[in-house]
């Protein structure tokens, strides 16, 4: 028998509209419906609008108790399958040590690599699931998840298998990315690691279908533009779509590289140049901004969200959830930073945290908005309207979450 869920007694439904990424001024145009219901049939949204009789029986009647419905968040940049926290390193930063000093004493990414290599596959699955449950409690229904703390064949594969295995039980839909080019392995900064990624790691990942995307960290002191391009083109040849950590700590021409290889997203962009902004604005590469990272690293430098949107780019928002530079699963926190620190409007940040994130994952036709035909990925917030997502900050307003029509 087919299932039909009626979500009624909503204060408001607020959602971007579309089956593709939305750019520039269009990001502000969200639909706001009052006195409306959502009907879900077999996991997909069947109807959104004023209450009316359906020509099929409703099997579940859900009283939303005046909540506001928004699309489930799409967190399109996370590093979920890691082991070990870095809270003491964080505390050292608060007492004035620099990231470089901490890295020189064995901290930083290298400490997460050690802990992740030492973990079993099952431990990583458990960690991913714990974080995915936290994400779901904060309204996220789809999340990208990257490897990149293995930095060798066996441990990159272990991380990606953990994402695959966790996805079978995860409340949040997981989309895997291979980020073997996150950094050089701690045992040596040998450029031959790039060849190992291209010749061994990516082919093994593609053969086992463990990732949909391939990512690289192009940055001063990490991978050069040429090395990043080599990795991304090798991934592309194996059917892995590129994403790119670009222009985070310096302008390394990352945004232009992302556009040149047809990347799904260019991420971070705190130091993007005028040329980079113009290139992204003319492209379908999503500018994925991660303001929680600037916040957590106590940087005054945020990505130029206004310039990107005003130039016409497709802008998305993500948590960058990771133990070193952004220890949060909360997309509403990210929206609060996007509005209060990057001068995005609430409407733009809602579009960026839902539909445009879905676009960068190739899922805009399936999720990211509350529209008939899409998967019923919906968050109910305890608020009279969507503005409270930012206005009522620092608390979790999410009360109920549905993914594929299932109440989580
Ligand atoms: Zn990242």
């Amino acid at each position: 028998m087919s299932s039909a869920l009626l979500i009624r007694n909503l204060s408001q439904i607020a959602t971007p509209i579309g089956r593709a990424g939305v750019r520039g001024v269009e990001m502000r145009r969200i639909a706001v419906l009052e006195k409306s219901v959502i009907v879900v049939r077999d996991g997909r949204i069947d109807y959104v609008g004023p209450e009316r009789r359906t020509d099929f029986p409703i099997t579940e009647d859900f009283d939303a108790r005046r909540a506001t419905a928004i699309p489930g968040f799409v967190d399109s940049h996370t590093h979920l399958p890691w082991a070990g926290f870095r809270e003491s390193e964080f505390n050292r930063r608060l007492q004035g040590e620099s990231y470089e000093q901490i890295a020189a004493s064995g901290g930083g990414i290298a400490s997460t690599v050690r802990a992740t290599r030492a973990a079993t596959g099952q431990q990583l699955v458990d960690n991913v699931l714990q974080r995915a449950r936290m994400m779901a409690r904060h309204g996220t229904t789809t999340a990208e998840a990257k490897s990149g703390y293995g930095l060798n064949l066996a441990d990159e594969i272990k991380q990606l298998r953990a994402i695959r295995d966790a996805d079978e039980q995860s409340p949040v839909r997981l989309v895997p990315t291979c980020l073997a080019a996150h950094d050089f392995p701690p045992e040596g900064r040998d450029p031959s690691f790039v060849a190992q990624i291209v010749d061994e790691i990516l082919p093994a990942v593609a053969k086992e279908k463990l990732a949909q995307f391939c990512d690289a960290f192009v940055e001063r002191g990490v991978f050069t533009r040429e090395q990043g391009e080599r990795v991304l083109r090798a991934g592309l040849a194996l059917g892995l779509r590129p994403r790119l950590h670009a222009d985070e700590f310096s302008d390394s021409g990352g945004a232009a590289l992302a556009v040149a290889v047809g990347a799904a997203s260019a991420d971070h962009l705190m130091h993007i140049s005028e040329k980079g902004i113009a290139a992204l604005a003319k492209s379908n590469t999503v500018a994925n901004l991660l303001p929680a990272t600037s916040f957590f690293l106590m940087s005054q430098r945020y990505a130029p969200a206004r310039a990107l949107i005003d130039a016409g780019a497709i802008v998305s928002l993500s948590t960058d959830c990771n133990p070193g530079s952004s220890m949060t699963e909360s997309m509403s926190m990210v929206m609060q930073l996007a509005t209060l620190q990057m001068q995005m409007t609430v409407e733009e940040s809602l579009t960026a945290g839902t539909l445009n994130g879905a676009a960068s994952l190739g899922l805009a036709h399936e999720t990211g908005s509350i529209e008939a035909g899409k998967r019923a990925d919906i968050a109910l917030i305890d608020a009279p309207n969507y503005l409270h997502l930012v206005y009522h900050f620092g608390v979790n307003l999410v009360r109920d979450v549905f993914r594929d029509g299932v109440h989580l």
Side-chain angles (χ1 to χ4, degrees):
M1 194 185 109
S2 76
S3 68
L5 161 72
L6 170 69
I7 304 174
R8 61 175 177 80
N9 196 16
L10 288 161
S11 177
Q12 193 178 73
I13 300 169
T15 179
I17 296 291
R19 286 166 190 276
V22 175
R23 63 175 75 239
V25 289
E26 296 294 317
M27 286 179 63
R28 290 191 191 198
R29 296 218 179 103
I30 63 167
V32 178
L33 301 162
E34 277 160 14
K35 299 193 178 78
S36 290
V37 301
I38 302 169
V39 178
V40 175
R41 203 175 183 194
D42 295 331
R44 289 193 183 261
I45 297 167
D46 185 83
Y47 170 78
V48 185
E51 190 147 18
R52 69 173 190 201
R53 189 183 289 274
T54 56
D55 52 11
F56 45 84
I58 296 295
T59 53
E60 188 188 349
D61 179 290
F62 188 90
D63 180 356
R65 294 176 289 134
R66 307 305 295 159
T68 289
I70 58 167
F73 292 120
V74 179
D75 189 348
S76 57
H77 184 137
T78 86
H79 297 258
L80 284 194
W82 83 81
F85 291 104
R86 278 156 53 192
E87 66 277 59
S88 52
E89 178 182 303
F90 169 69
N91 200 21
R92 283 163 64 193
R93 271 204 294 120
L94 295 181
Q95 291 165 53
E97 278 188 70
S98 71
Y99 194 84
E100 288 72 24
Q101 284 170 315
I102 290 164
S105 66
I109 288 179
S111 80
T112 303
V113 171
R114 276 195 304 278
T116 303
R117 286 179 177 178
T120 65
Q122 187 56 47
Q123 283 167 335
L124 294 183
V125 171
D126 293 343
N127 291 353
V128 172
L129 284 174
Q130 195 174 25
R131 286 161 204 150
R133 289 186 199 110
M134 182 71 85
M135 288 177 148
R137 284 205 289 282
H138 287 77
T140 296
T141 48
T142 302
E144 186 255 17
K146 302 176 197 295
S147 65
Y149 293 122
L151 306 184
N152 61 36
L153 176 62
D155 291 303
E156 286 292 311
I157 296 279
K158 179 176 74 179
Q159 279 196 290
L160 291 167
R161 285 182 184 154
I163 298 167
R164 176 195 65 193
D165 295 348
D167 189 42
E168 290 172 13
Q169 311 161 58
S170 168
V172 171
R173 180 183 301 113
L174 300 174
V175 180
T177 295
C178 179
L179 175 60
H182 193 192
D183 200 351
F184 287 91
E187 50 274 15
R189 306 192 68 82
D190 188 337
S192 72
F193 182 55
V194 176
Q196 197 199 343
I197 294 171
V198 167
D199 298 336
E200 286 179 45
I201 299 179
L202 293 177
V205 166
K207 188 164 175 234
E208 223 181 300
K209 295 190 167 48
L210 287 172
Q212 295 180 27
F213 294 94
C214 175
D215 197 342
F217 192 14
V218 168
E219 189 57 64
R220 196 172 54 198
V222 193
F223 295 98
T224 64
R225 215 188 120 111
E226 292 68 30
Q227 289 169 325
E229 178 162 5
R230 191 173 160 208
V231 168
L232 296 182
R233 291 210 185 274
L236 202 52
L238 293 161
L240 305 173
R241 215 166 151 213
R243 319 182 73 81
L244 187 64
H245 282 66
D247 305 332
E248 181 175 358
F249 298 110
S250 62
D251 171 23
S252 40
L257 171 60
V259 172
V261 298
S265 67
D267 301 46
H268 284 294
L269 307 176
M270 277 97 96
H271 290 262
I272 187 173
S273 65
E274 292 291 328
K275 264 168 88 176
I277 292 172
L280 280 178
K282 282 199 287 284
S283 77
N284 288 322
T285 298
V286 177
N288 194 12
L289 310 186
L290 301 82
T293 309
S294 299
F295 178 72
F296 199 71
L297 293 177
M298 297 180 284
S299 162
Q300 301 308 311
R301 184 118 186 187
Y302 285 82
R306 275 270 50 92
L308 282 159
I309 293 172
D310 295 344
I314 306 169
V315 171
S316 64
L317 289 168
S318 302
T319 60
D320 193 21
C321 183
N322 79 80
S325 62
S326 185
M327 188 57 219
T328 185
E329 294 91 347
S330 170
M331 283 293 286
S332 53
M333 172 81 195
V334 170
M335 282 180 64
Q336 287 148 22
L337 292 169
T339 48
L340 297 171
Q341 297 289 336
M342 299 198 300
Q343 291 76 48
M344 286 172 67
T345 70
V346 181
E347 295 78 11
E348 286 165 345
S349 72
L350 181 62
T351 300
T354 57
L355 183 60
N356 283 0
S360 93
L361 298 178
L363 291 172
H365 59 295
E366 287 279 45
T367 190
S369 64
I370 301 177
E371 290 180 84
K374 285 207 182 180
R375 292 171 181 271
D377 299 342
I378 298 160
L380 301 184
I381 59 164
D382 209 346
N385 60 62
Y386 71 91
L387 291 173
H388 281 242
L389 271 174
V390 168
Y391 165 68
H392 192 167
F393 72 97
V395 296
N396 183 19
L397 292 176
V398 174
R399 194 211 278 159
D400 295 280
V401 181
F402 296 86
R403 177 190 150 199
D404 290 315
V406 176
H407 190 220
L408 301 177

